[in-house]
Amino acid sequence: MSEKRKTYDKEFKLSAVKMIVEGGMSLSRVSRDLGINENSLHKWKKDYLSDQQSAFPGKGRLKPEEEELRKLKKQLSRVTMERDILKKAIGYFSKLEE
């Protein structure tokens, strides 16, 4: 039987990373003390150092830039579909006039 995957909230991740970054503790020690996989903690640290404001957005949440990109892609898809429909309609109606 497999173990259920552990999930950690944003505050826990931030405090764990701050122990390393601001507290001067080693990654392996924090990992051992908190019972977290070293690879996970390393990824959290990397995410935090790359963008502190939007690190750990949460489950199913996107960073503001990613959300804007998703929104724009969806809008582009809709506009492209509308354009294609209009092209087909023009072709259809021009045949009726002949």
Side-chain angles (χ1 to χ4, degrees):
M1 188 168 136
S2 64
E3 293 183 31
K4 186 176 180 187
R5 185 175 182 158
K6 293 181 183 179
T7 56
Y8 303 98
D9 63 359
K10 181 177 183 172
E11 290 76 26
F12 181 82
K13 291 178 182 180
L14 282 172
S15 64
V17 170
K18 286 182 179 181
M19 288 174 152
I20 299 166
V21 176
E22 297 170 4
M25 297 176 72
S26 71
L27 191 136
S28 58
R29 179 165 181 209
V30 173
S31 169
R32 194 173 45 253
D33 290 349
L34 297 177
I36 303 168
N37 182 300
E38 281 191 43
N39 292 331
S40 297
L41 192 53
H42 180 73
K43 182 183 180 314
W44 296 350
K45 179 183 170 190
K46 181 181 170 187
D47 291 347
Y48 176 78
L49 293 176
S50 70
D51 188 5
Q52 293 180 9
Q53 297 299 320
S54 60
F56 322 122
K59 189 175 184 179
R61 296 189 188 117
L62 300 174
K63 293 180 180 180
E65 306 87 38
E66 293 170 341
E67 179 66 30
E68 179 70 15
L69 181 61
R70 185 198 61 77
K71 181 180 168 186
L72 291 171
K73 283 183 178 181
K74 186 176 180 181
Q75 184 180 13
L76 176 62
S77 175
R78 182 181 51 81
V79 169
T80 301
M81 184 179 64
E82 289 174 357
R83 182 206 61 201
D84 292 345
I85 290 171
L86 288 173
K87 278 184 175 180
K88 290 177 184 177
I90 289 171
Y92 176 77
F93 289 116
S94 66
K95 287 180 184 177
L96 288 178
E97 292 178 356
E98 294 175 354

